[in-house]
C-alpha cells in the first residue's frame, strides 16, 4: 500500500494551523495511519533533506525545519503521494494555486508550512526515517464506501 509522509512545519505549528491543515487532508477523505509531534534535530533534518545538500537554500532549510516542533503524519492509500502533493500545492506559496494549502496559507517559499513526499519510493524512505513499523496503524473506516466507489 502506498504511503506518504506529511510534515506540518514549524511555521504551521507556531501559527496555530495544525487543525486547519490536518482538516484539509482529512476532509478530502485521506486516511491518516500515524500522527505525532516532535522537534526534529539538526542531524535528522540534514538526513531528511539530504537530496538538497549543496543548494543555496539547504542551510536555511535545515534551520527552518529544526526551528521548533512539527507534526508528522503518515497517509496511506492508492495514489496518495500524488493526491497529497495536489492538496499541498506548488513549493512556492506565491505560485501555488488558490485552494491548495500553500496557496491559501502561505506567501514565501522559505515558510511554506507543509512537507509531502514527492514519489512512492520517497514516501517509503521518509516514513521509515521518522516512524517505527509498529507506529503505523492498520484499520478500516466505516465510511470508506462513501469515499471510494465499491
Ligand atoms: N525551499 C526553499 N527555497 C527554494 C526551494 C525550496 O526554501 O528555492 C525549501 C522549501 O521549504 C521546500 C523545501 O526547501 O518545501 C524542499 O524543496 P523541494 O524542492 O523538495 O520542495 P517540496 O517538495 O517541499 O515542494
Ligand atoms: Mg521535496
Amino acid at each position: 500500500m502506498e504511503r506518504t509522509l506529511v510534515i506540518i512545519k514549524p511555521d504551521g505549528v507556531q501559527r496555530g494551523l495544525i487543525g486547519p491543515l490536518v482538516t484539509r487532508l482529512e476532509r478530502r477523505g485521506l486516511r491518516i495511519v500515524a500522527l505525532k509531534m516532535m522537534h526534529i534535530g539538526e542531524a535528522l533534518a540534514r538526513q531528511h533533506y539530504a537530496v538538497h545538500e549543496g543548494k543555496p537554500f539547504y542551510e536555511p532549510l535545515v534551520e527552518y525545519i529544526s526551528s521548533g516542533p512539527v507534526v508528522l503524519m503518515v497517509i496511506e492509500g492508492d495514489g496518495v503521494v500524488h493526491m497529497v502533493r495536489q492538496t499541498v500545492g506548488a513549493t512556492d506559496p506565491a505560485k501555488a494555486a488558490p485552494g491548495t494549502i500553500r496557496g491559501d496559507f502561505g506567501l514565501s517559499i522559505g515558510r511554506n508550512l507543509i512537507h509531502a513526499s514527492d514519489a512512492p519510493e520517497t514516501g517509503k524512505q521518509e516514513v521509515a526515517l521518522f516512524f517505527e513499523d509498529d507506529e503505523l496503524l492498520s484499520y478500516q473506516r466505516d465510511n470508506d464506501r462513501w469515499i471510494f466507489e465499491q
Side-chain angles (χ1 to χ4, degrees), residues 8-79:
I8 299 177
K9 295 179 178 181
D11 49 336
V13 174
Q14 292 296 322
R15 290 174 56 192
L17 293 174
I18 298 171
L21 300 193
V22 173
T23 296
R24 289 291 181 114
L25 300 164
E26 225 183 357
R27 76 181 187 189
R28 197 162 174 203
L30 293 160
R31 193 156 56 97
I32 299 166
V33 298
L35 190 151
K36 66 182 176 187
M37 283 187 88
M38 71 178 284
H39 193 141
I40 300 176
E42 186 188 329
L44 191 52
R46 288 188 182 283
Q47 205 176 342
H48 172 62
Y49 281 125
V51 67
H52 296 303
E53 206 176 331
K55 295 180 187 170
F57 61 85
Y58 179 67
E59 293 301 330
L61 174 58
V62 167
E63 199 175 319
Y64 165 41
I65 201 71
S66 59
S67 64
V70 300
V71 173
L72 293 148
M73 262 175 288
V74 180
I75 291 172
E76 187 179 276
D78 287 337

Side-chain angles (χ1 to χ4, degrees), residues 57-131:
F57 61 85
Y58 179 67
E59 293 301 330
L61 174 58
V62 167
E63 199 175 319
Y64 165 41
I65 201 71
S66 59
S67 64
V70 300
V71 173
L72 293 148
M73 262 175 288
V74 180
I75 291 172
E76 187 179 276
D78 287 337
V80 288
V81 166
H82 177 68
M83 290 190 285
V84 172
R85 292 281 292 191
Q86 276 184 326
T87 295
V88 162
T91 303
D92 184 352
K95 295 176 185 147
T100 65
I101 289 173
R102 286 165 171 169
D104 285 353
F105 291 95
L107 293 170
S108 166
I109 194 165
R111 297 286 183 270
N112 63 356
L113 293 144
I114 190 161
H115 167 85
S117 308
D118 64 4
E121 192 49 42
T122 323
K124 203 181 261 184
Q125 289 164 9
E126 291 181 351
V127 167
L129 190 60
F130 291 98
F131 288 89

